[in-house]
Structures are given as C-alpha cells and as structure tokens.
Amino acid sequence: MEKDYSVKTLGTERAVKKGGKAQELVYCGIFTALIAVGAFLKVPVPVVPFTLQFLFTMLAGLLLGSRLGAVSVGVYMFLGLAGLPVFTEGGGIWYLLKPSFGYIIGFCVGAYVTGKIVERARKLTVARYLLANFTGLAIVYGMGMVYYYVICNYVIGTPIGLWPLFLYCFLMAVPGDICLCILAAFLAKRLRPVLRRV
C-alpha cells in the first residue's frame, strides 16, 4: 500500500509541476503580447517615441519575477528581430542598427533586475515597487542612451552630441516613464496577490 501511495503522490506532484509550467508559459505569452501592443500605444515625441512598453516590461518583472519577466521581454525581442512587426517601427534584424534598439535591450535587463528586487523584498510595499521600477528605469535609459550614442556616432554616421542626446533621449522622454513607474507600482500592489491565488 505504501508503494502505491508513493506512486500516486509522485504522479500528483508531477501534474502540479506540469500545471505550473503551463501557467508560466501562459503568463509569459500574455506579457509578450502586452509589450507588443504597448509599442503601438504611443505619444509622438522627437527622436524616441513615448510608448506603454515600459509599463508592461516593468509589470512583467514585478508580477512574474526576474526569470519569467526577462523571458517575456526576451521573446518579444526575438520575435521582432525575426521579422514580426512588433517593434514601434516594424521588425527585422536591421533593427539592431536602429539607435533606439538599446532601449529594448534595456527593457529585458530592467525587467530582470526589477523582478530580483521584488523577489528579495521581505515585505512588498508600494515603496518597494517604486524602488524596483526606478532602478529599472535607470537601467533602461542608461543602456538606451549608450546604445543610441554608439550607433549614431560609430555605426551609421549620424553624429549626435552629449547634450542633444541627454535632451532628446532623457529629459524629453523620462517624465512620462516616471508616471508609468508610479502607475506600475500601484497596479503591481493590487495584481500580485491576485496572481498568487490563481
């Protein structure tokens, strides 16, 4: 009887693990789709358009954790580079030469770091979510601006100075993303307990 019971228990554990994996895939797929949709929900501003991608990439880290959050953004990035028109201006491997692609790389790293900060928190407060989001924001803009500068000045031959870079790629773009950081913190506070119960 003990042997039969052990076999049944093992089968149940495997079923739970499979169910968990399936749920993870569904969540990753949902956030990959949201990030793609966010690319087209945009406000036109010079140089770097303001979109809702940042909101969804941060929520991916906050709600799914570092690994799954980064996977969601990574799949989005892979699909775009493979040719699907999921980026703000289409898709394709040529996007690597687009100065603003550094922000997409930053989304992936930012989602991972944001998730890590949340995972290591003893208590998940709005302040902790804000800390995670603003850290992610710094990563996104840091990587985005460095990539933009390198591609413009050393790859495609359209030089940009440090002040114009700072003005157009940070000062004019960051206020909207700061608002998204605050929105994401309150959304995560509400949604994370719900996801944990599902």
Side-chain angles (χ1 to χ4, degrees):
M1 290 296 293
E2 287 185 11
K3 188 174 182 181
D4 292 338
Y5 177 77
S6 299
V7 170
K8 288 179 182 179
T9 302
L10 183 60
T12 302
E13 289 176 352
R14 286 176 178 171
V16 170
K17 287 181 180 178
K18 285 181 180 179
K21 290 291 183 183
Q23 191 177 53
E24 288 180 356
L25 289 174
V26 169
Y27 286 156
C28 284
I30 289 172
F31 273 96
T32 297
L34 286 173
I35 295 165
V37 170
F40 299 97
L41 301 175
K42 58 185 176 181
V43 177
V45 294
V47 186
V48 181
F50 171 72
T51 72
L52 293 185
Q53 283 178 300
F54 179 72
L55 172 65
F56 294 127
T57 56
M58 291 300 99
L59 283 175
L62 296 176
L63 299 177
L64 304 185
S66 57
R67 181 177 61 86
L68 294 180
V71 167
S72 298
V73 185
V75 170
Y76 164 75
M77 187 163 53
F78 173 79
L79 292 174
L81 291 176
L84 291 180
V86 295
F87 295 148
T88 304
E89 296 180 31
I93 196 69
W94 66 272
Y95 226 88
L96 289 170
L97 299 178
K98 190 167 180 58
S100 59
F101 186 73
Y103 290 91
I104 297 176
I105 299 173
F107 288 153
C108 190
V109 179
Y112 179 83
V113 173
T114 299
K116 273 295 180 188
I117 292 173
V118 169
E119 288 167 356
R120 293 179 177 178
R122 292 183 178 178
K123 186 177 180 182
L124 290 175
T125 62
V126 170
R128 174 62 64 170
Y129 285 125
L130 284 172
L131 172 64
N133 287 340
F134 284 124
T135 303
L137 181 71
I139 290 170
V140 169
Y141 274 87
M143 297 187 72
M145 291 172 68
V146 169
Y147 195 93
Y148 202 104
Y149 184 84
V150 170
I151 293 296
C152 282
N153 288 283
Y154 301 107
V155 179
I156 61 176
T158 56
I160 185 171
L162 291 178
W163 169 245
L165 177 75
F166 184 72
L167 175 63
Y168 291 114
C169 297
F170 182 76
L171 286 182
M172 294 183 66
V174 78
D177 285 332
I178 290 175
C179 293
L180 292 183
C181 282
I182 297 170
L183 175 60
F186 283 97
L187 286 175
K189 182 67 175 175
R190 293 280 187 176
L191 294 176
R192 191 176 173 93
V194 175
L195 289 180
R196 290 295 174 269
R197 290 197 297 266
V198 175

